[in-house]
Amino acid sequence: MGKNRKIQTLLIIGAQWGDEGKGKIVDYLSKYFDYSVRFQGGPNAGHTVVVGEKKIVLHTIPSGILRENCCAIISNGVIIDPDILEKEIQELRKNNVEFEKRLFISNLCHLILPFHKKIDELSDRERKIGTTKMGVGPAVEFKVARRGIRIKDIFSQNLKSLIKDAVDYSLKIICLYEKDFVNSHNEKIPSAEEIYDKLMRFGEKIQNFVTDTQKLLRNEIDRGKKVILEGAQGIMLDIEFGTYPFVTSTNSSPGGAISGTGLSPKDIDAILGVVKSYSTRVGMGPFPSEIKDEEKSELIRKVGGEYGSTTGRPRRIGWLDLPLLRYSKKIGCFDFIALTKSDILKTIKESFYVKKYITADGEIDEVDSSLNLEDIKEVVLEKVEPDKIKNLLENELNIKVVINSRGPERNQIDISEELLEKIS
Ligand code: IMP
């Protein structure tokens, strides 16, 4: 982007396998923006934002809701679990966050219903991806199969028949896994009638927030309002460009921000890639930089609080991985980088980064889609002082690190004059 160009719309994307600390960056930056938007993923994501003494965990609602100046939009690409969204709303009320006029939910969001969670559990038992079991993948499958139920359907005359169709379809799938399930399903997943009653109650609770968020965003951008778009997960979990099949079901790369909001690519002024100073991943799948020394990885896990905010699972720990970041820089088309958790590595004696990979065909210093990460035999590590990671990224990736987050608190963030100038 041009040196002096102002940023009206900023897109935040995770550069690794999620959990880079995007929530904190968005929470910090949203004081400069009018709208903060979640556009993909669902309750599989989660971030904890520390505000003073309080720790607030959000799964679906963008963290911008914690800033009074900022409105929060859950746009059409987000998959909503009614129970979880209700809990988040309660959590905001409990913490005296005023949001009644600042929360907007797209009428086009698809819903996670109890049978989606059941299918997720059965499917992952057989084909181990290590999903969060939150039902996001099956809800996306139903969406693509044109059998999904959207927020707007709750308010339509058709709701009963849509639920019946979805329940019947889900039973066909569930019976592929558990032959006798149809005989006992009443005990295991709620009936179509129960789901209907529940959605009616849910509809009443959220109706004041439901709107056409594409139209809202279009109008607001056209009249000069500033928007921050908050990606969930990270490039390596993207359904197209990630480590397929060990990925999530939505687009966590920049394309997701377009289909997931209805904005145009022309609306995005800049993309900020968020890089954690080491790598983590939850669930199965290749992880070339994974630290084999369990004592060391346990220490980083403990100090860095590397446990899933949705499932509580311990995250796998690895070093910063340059061949992989060169790839995500290209997929993410990053203009800038935000570096997070740069304080954590200071607590261990020596830290490293992955300089290159060794495969049967030779050395590789940049991943591309023809490479199977499973085929990497070895990685070449180099020592790095935690304070030098910022320089390393700038030199090796040729992108400016404009944010450095040094701890969990709001005031433990350094932001460059250049970025401040562009967003103020
Ligand atoms: P799903 O999104 O629940 O279907 O899970 C698919 C894969 O994505 C699993 O490896 C999950 O651990 C991973 N995943 C999904 N959401 C997140 C996230 O927010 N952070 C980290 N990993 C995630």
Side-chain angles (χ1 to χ4, degrees):
M1 71 171 303
K3 196 155 176 26
N4 300 318
R5 232 180 97 198
K6 287 274 184 189
I7 296 174
Q8 184 188 354
T9 303
L10 177 66
L11 171 58
I12 312 285
I13 293 286
Q16 294 148 312
W17 278 280
D19 307 318
E20 297 92 353
K22 296 176 292 295
K24 187 181 168 211
I25 303 295
V26 176
D27 167 62
Y28 181 83
L29 290 178
S30 48
K31 69 177 165 192
Y32 300 100
F33 288 83
D34 304 300
Y35 286 89
S36 131
V37 186
R38 261 290 302 277
F39 56 83
Q40 47 80 219
N44 46 1
H47 39 245
T48 308
V49 187
V50 180
V51 188
E53 303 284 282
K54 290 180 202 161
K55 262 189 179 178
I56 301 184
V57 182
L58 296 171
H59 295 282
T60 336
I61 300 178
S63 35
I65 199 77
L66 302 175
R67 300 272 185 189
E68 277 173 20
N69 60 290
C70 191
C71 294
I73 297 184
I74 302 171
S75 66
N76 57 282
V78 177
I79 310 296
I80 290 181
D81 180 323
D83 292 336
I84 292 177
L85 182 57
E86 259 190 73
K87 273 199 198 118
E88 284 177 65
I89 290 176
Q90 275 167 16
E91 169 107 335
L92 292 178
R93 289 210 171 103
K94 200 177 83 196
N95 284 290
N96 300 320
V97 178
E98 179 289 311
F99 63 90
E100 303 295 336
K101 295 206 167 66
R102 293 191 297 119
L103 176 64
F104 302 94
I105 303 171
S106 167
N107 50 9
L108 299 181
C109 287
H110 278 249
L111 294 170
I112 297 175
L113 297 173
F115 44 79
H116 293 131
K117 287 182 234 179
K118 181 74 190 164
I119 295 171
D120 204 354
E121 181 199 315
L122 292 168
S123 167
D124 206 59
R125 204 186 289 167
E126 190 181 279
R127 193 156 205 272
K128 294 190 176 9
I129 301 294
T131 72
T132 59
K133 321 272 188 304
M134 305 300 284
V136 179
V140 173
E141 287 172 36
F142 273 53
K143 172 177 176 174
V144 178
R146 275 68 48 95
R147 302 213 176 212
I149 296 179
R150 300 162 302 169
I151 295 272
K152 73 187 267 191
D153 297 324
I154 299 177
F155 306 102
S156 93
Q157 298 298 322
N158 279 341
L159 183 62
K160 266 193 181 145
S161 71
L162 288 172
I163 296 176
K164 188 180 175 313
D165 174 76
V167 168
D168 290 349
Y169 183 57
S170 74
L171 284 173
K172 287 182 195 151
I173 298 172
I174 291 171
C175 287
L176 294 174
Y177 294 104
E178 287 187 0
K179 262 204 330 262
D180 302 327
F181 188 82
V182 74
N183 299 326
S184 56
H185 82 269
N186 281 337
E187 297 156 35
K188 295 189 181 170
I189 52 170
S191 65
E193 293 71 31
E194 284 168 303
I195 293 174
Y196 176 82
D197 291 343
K198 196 180 164 113
L199 286 186
M200 294 306 283
R201 287 196 298 274
F202 175 64
E204 269 170 38
K205 288 185 188 148
I206 59 155
Q207 63 186 344
N208 291 342
F209 308 118
V210 175
T211 190
D212 178 340
T213 57
Q214 192 279 335
K215 187 167 146 193
L216 171 71
L217 267 173
R218 179 75 275 138
N219 290 341
E220 291 298 86
I221 288 182
D222 288 348
R223 69 187 193 100
K225 294 290 178 189
K226 287 159 66 186
V227 175
I228 190 164
L229 298 155
E230 174 181 351
Q233 291 92 33
I235 298 253
M236 299 315 290
L237 286 174
D238 182 84
I239 181 81
E240 300 285 337
F241 298 107
T243 48
Y244 192 89
F246 301 99
V247 291
T248 191
S249 47
T250 56
N251 284 109
S252 43
S253 56
I258 304 306
S259 58
T261 56
L263 290 177
S264 151
K266 290 187 285 186
D267 288 310
I268 312 289
D269 295 313
I271 305 180
L272 177 68
V274 183
V275 176
K276 186 155 64 179
S277 48
Y278 49 94
S279 310
T280 56
R281 101 167 277 178
V282 213
M284 320 305 172
F287 189 18
S289 68
E290 189 159 22
I291 299 174
K292 303 286 181 300
D293 177 344
E294 187 44 40
E295 214 174 288
K296 205 171 250 178
S297 55
E298 180 57 19
L299 185 61
I300 299 177
R301 186 179 296 122
K302 270 217 174 100
V303 184
E306 297 296 351
Y307 300 88
S309 31
T310 298
T311 58
R313 290 180 291 176
R315 295 177 184 143
R316 296 158 68 192
I317 312 286
W319 300 116
L320 188 83
D321 187 337
L322 278 187
L324 195 118
L325 287 172
R326 289 198 178 93
Y327 172 73
S328 44
K329 168 195 163 174
K330 286 190 180 156
I331 302 291
C333 233
F334 303 145
D335 296 287
F336 309 106
I337 284 179
L339 177 63
T340 63
K341 294 203 162 177
S342 58
D343 53 318
I344 302 298
L345 292 180
K346 290 186 182 162
T347 57
I348 57 168
K349 243 201 221 135
E350 287 182 318
S351 23
F352 296 87
Y353 71 94
V354 176
K355 193 176 162 74
K356 51 190 167 190
Y357 299 158
I358 314 280
T359 68
D361 300 326
E363 293 183 350
I364 285 181
D365 62 8
E366 179 174 338
V367 169
D368 71 31
S369 64
S370 60
L371 177 72
N372 291 320
L373 291 187
E374 292 89 340
D375 296 341
I376 290 155
K377 302 258 175 281
E378 233 181 282
V379 297
V380 177
L381 295 178
E382 292 262 315
K383 244 193 215 174
V384 61
E385 294 296 321
D387 284 338
K388 301 272 162 52
I389 290 180
K390 178 173 178 286
N391 287 349
L392 177 78
L393 289 174
E394 292 191 330
N395 295 337
E396 295 287 337
L397 302 181
N398 199 20
I399 312 185
K400 277 200 185 140
V401 174
V402 289
I403 292 181
N404 187 4
S405 162
R406 301 170 280 101
E409 305 296 332
R410 269 182 173 171
N411 59 8
Q412 291 175 302
I413 281 195
D414 303 324
I415 177 163
S416 76
E417 284 299 320
E418 183 188 348
L419 183 64
L420 263 184
E421 167 66 23
K422 285 179 183 296
I423 60 177
S424 312

